[in-house]
Each structure stands twice: as structure tokens, then as C-alpha cells.
Amino acid sequence: EEPAKAIHYLALCADNAASLDAHAEAIRALEQARALVEHLPPQERDRRSIQLVIREAQSLHFAGRRKEMVALLVDHAERLARLDDQALSGEFNFWLGFAHSWLGQRVEAEACLQRGLLAAMRAGDTAITGRIHRALATECVYSGKPLQDAIAHARQAASLLERDANPFWLAQALFTLSYCCYFAGAFD
């Protein structure tokens, strides 16, 4: 019970730090929490570990530490596979694909984002599905795919993210849609 409580409170501290853009502190708290996961009952370890890794990946992204993000997520892929949880798989693959995209790793980004899209859709997770469509829109632009594909992904992202409580991702989707339309000359 004590490791579970410690993990819970460290995760709360990390959430609070991340909400204040103190991502270095959030990462440290999540690393401490992950170190305690092996003290949990065996049936809880994989799920809790993946939940913490996803939170840490987000802070690593906003701290600009994308190579570390990829390494962290890849190191935990086996745990994710054991869970067979579509919602976690969608979010995990979103962050992994997003990191690959930022690093210019087009093939890996596309593969992860497509895996994440299928998982998020199966789970009915519209927020993650929207984020992935937004990332796929930017991947279309970066990889030289038709701008109409990018626009379709960006429109789908904006539509899905209008329902999300987090305005950050809707703003990202709308920005992506605007520059895709601009590049394509689609002003209607």
C-alpha cells in the first residue's frame, strides 16, 4: 500500500508541476514514481508503469527532450503489449510517433501514428484520435504527401478536438489546418 500511495502522490506532484510548465520537476517526480512500480503487486505493474511513462513522455516533449522520449517509450513497449489496452496504446503511440516526427524520422512517425490511430479509434478516444490526425496532417506536409491528405487529417483533427476540454490541441489542429490550406491555396 505504501508504494502505491507514494506513486499516487508523486504523480500528483508531477501533474501540478507540468501544469505550471515546470517540466524538469515533473520528469523528476515521474522518474521517482516509476522507480517504485516494481514494489507494486505484479498485476498492477505494467499498467501503472505505462501510465507514468505516458505522463513523462508529455513532459519530455515540452522540455524539448525528444530523443529521451523515444528511448523511454521504446523501453516500455513490451509492457504495453502485455496489457492489450487500446486506449493506452493509442496515447502511447501518439507520443512515440509525435517524437519521431519532431526528430524527422518519417517512417517511424507514420508507423507509430497509424498504430495509435487504430488503437484510439477502437477505444473510442476522440481526443487522442484528434491529436493523431493533427500529427498525421503535419507528417503529410513534412513528407511531401498531397496537401489534400494533410487538409483532410487537419479537418478531422479540428472536428474531433472541438469536443475536447483541452484548448491547446484544438489550437494546434486549427493552426495546422490553416497552414495546410494556405500552402494548397484552398481559401474556401
Side-chain angles (χ1 to χ4, degrees), residues 7-141:
I7 291 168
H8 172 76
Y9 287 110
L10 284 164
L12 287 176
C13 286
D15 288 346
N16 187 52
S19 74
L20 299 170
D21 288 324
H23 292 288
E25 290 76 9
I27 292 164
R28 274 195 296 280
L30 291 164
E31 287 171 344
Q32 290 174 354
R34 282 192 305 108
L36 297 172
V37 165
E38 295 309 313
H39 299 289
L40 293 173
Q43 67 276 14
E44 296 175 25
R45 292 176 187 163
D46 287 344
R47 177 169 308 284
R48 197 63 178 126
S49 179
I50 293 301
Q51 291 168 336
L52 294 168
V53 162
I54 288 170
R55 283 172 154 167
E56 188 172 340
Q58 184 172 354
S59 281
L60 285 167
H61 167 72
F62 288 110
R65 295 163 53 183
R66 294 182 187 94
K67 287 181 182 177
E68 291 174 61
M69 219 175 128
V70 169
L72 175 68
L73 291 163
V74 168
D75 285 349
H76 287 81
E78 188 176 310
R79 281 186 185 245
L80 177 70
R82 286 195 299 258
L83 287 173
D84 192 31
D85 181 312
Q86 296 301 308
L88 285 176
S89 181
E91 190 168 8
F92 183 98
N93 280 291
F94 162 70
W95 286 110
L96 184 55
F98 201 47
H100 281 303
S101 180
W102 273 87
L103 294 169
Q105 300 163 342
R106 306 273 75 91
V107 173
E108 295 87 348
E110 175 80 17
C112 292
L113 292 169
Q114 290 295 342
R115 252 191 331 269
L117 183 61
L118 288 174
M121 289 172 65
R122 283 188 199 122
D125 189 335
T126 58
I128 294 299
T129 301
R131 290 180 194 184
I132 293 171
H133 274 294
R134 184 266 176 189
L136 285 167
T138 59
E139 271 308 297
C140 287
V141 172

